Amino acid sequence: MPRQLQHLPRKDTVTTTIVARAHSSHALQLPTAAVVGPTLHGEGPHTGRPVSVVRLGMCNLACVWCDSSYTWDRSRYNLAIEAPDRGVHDICDEVASHGTRTTIVTGGEPLIHQGRQPLAELLIGLSAIGDVHLETNGTIPPTDHTRALVHHFAVSPKVSSSGESRHRRVRVGALRVYADLARSGRAHFQYVVTSGRDLDEVDEMVAEYRIPAREVWIVPEGSTADRMVSDDLAYLAQAVLARGYNLSTRLPVLIWGNRRPM
């Protein structure tokens, strides 16, 4: 455990500590699009498990098919309305009221706030409640502090169909860190694909960074159930099986349809 974390308060006292700190400082706030729960984990190896979701604002990428662009796209949305600043203590209190054992911190890109006290305090508070899973696009490596507080990372590097340049979406140093975490069972890689052609890029990344095939999940892009469960899905399933990867749909889309994601 990193030296600076050796004397963290016990879990049963951390929530009280974080709330007291947050009440005493208006600076402990994060842009927050939603706090939802209890709900169901939507994708990947933990699909269907009861969770809470904390969706933060802001991102360092701008994928053309992003289903949460309201968290970062200032050209189309008023972020003061869509992702207003919210106190860390309020977020932790609401999550604690859900009674779930796992909280997903997502975005946007949550690690864009890494290095700031509010995110550090949020992770401390949520880890006192239960396991913390963090969803990231894999461009920002976690610090030792973040790694100590996050139980599992869902890493979603973007392929070229995202519309982002390779320079922006592929960061070698960060991907090496996440690949190491995947080999130790603390991360999985989750690729959104628009067609079977995207799998060639996935294959290259898996080979280059030695990502275990068992920790690779392929998710078809789609905002409706009809689009997700199309003829392409059967082809994709065969291609995924041939590679030893895993296939995941998006459970919220199948259950609730074309609603704003949580």
Side-chain angles (χ1 to χ4, degrees):
M1 181 176 291
R3 183 180 301 275
Q4 66 269 30
L5 296 179
Q6 289 178 353
H7 303 294
L8 282 175
R10 289 176 52 191
K11 282 197 169 187
D12 57 357
T13 65
V14 171
T15 302
T16 301
T17 301
I18 184 62
V19 169
R21 288 178 181 173
H23 275 296
S24 67
S25 174
H26 294 298
L28 290 181
Q29 297 182 334
L30 287 165
T32 307
V35 179
V36 179
T39 187
L40 298 174
H41 202 304
E43 304 168 359
H46 305 286
T47 298
R49 295 181 179 178
V51 295
S52 296
V53 178
V54 175
R55 185 176 292 278
L56 301 180
M58 305 306 294
C59 191
N60 59 343
L61 299 180
C63 301
V64 295
W65 38 248
C66 180
D67 63 359
S68 56
S69 55
Y70 59 90
T71 66
W72 54 264
D73 190 348
R74 296 181 184 278
S75 68
R76 292 190 290 160
Y77 300 97
N78 183 339
L79 299 191
I81 295 175
E82 301 291 351
D85 285 343
R86 184 169 178 183
V88 167
H89 70 286
D90 285 337
I91 298 172
C92 291
D93 283 350
E94 183 169 348
V95 169
S97 74
H98 296 164
T100 55
R101 293 184 297 176
T102 301
T103 302
I104 302 170
V105 179
T106 186
E109 170 51 58
L111 291 185
I112 203 169
H113 305 289
Q114 188 172 239
R116 296 178 54 213
Q117 186 181 0
L119 182 63
E121 298 283 6
L122 177 66
L123 295 179
I124 292 172
L126 294 178
S127 68
I129 298 168
D131 289 342
V132 178
H133 291 199
L134 188 140
E135 297 183 343
T136 175
N137 58 32
T139 62
I140 302 171
T143 63
D144 288 345
H145 185 272
T146 299
R147 272 188 270 188
L149 294 170
V150 173
H151 180 262
H152 190 84
F153 292 88
V155 188
S156 184
K158 310 310 175 189
V159 295
S160 57
S161 61
S162 67
E164 278 286 7
S165 67
R166 181 177 177 84
H167 172 72
R168 283 172 55 84
R169 59 184 170 80
V170 177
R171 300 297 177 89
V172 173
L175 288 173
R176 286 176 176 165
V177 170
Y178 288 118
D180 284 343
L181 287 169
R183 287 190 289 272
S184 67
R186 290 195 55 204
H188 74 275
F189 278 68
Q190 191 166 288
Y191 292 88
V192 176
V193 301
T194 59
S195 71
R197 292 187 298 273
D198 290 336
L199 289 176
D200 293 337
E201 291 185 51
V202 174
D203 294 341
E204 292 174 4
M205 193 174 294
V206 167
E208 181 174 355
Y209 296 98
R210 297 188 298 113
I211 302 167
R214 67 179 182 276
E215 300 295 351
V216 176
W217 291 76
I218 304 300
V219 182
E221 186 273 330
S223 57
T224 66
D226 286 344
R227 177 165 177 168
M228 184 167 296
V229 187
S230 65
D231 291 340
D232 287 342
L233 188 61
Y235 167 78
L236 194 60
Q238 292 302 314
V240 166
L241 283 170
R243 290 164 165 81
Y245 301 157
N246 306 282
L247 181 65
S248 173
T249 56
R250 300 173 63 206
L251 190 60
V253 172
L254 298 181
I255 297 175
W256 294 294
N258 189 18
R259 283 172 42 186
R260 176 173 286 193
M262 292 172 291

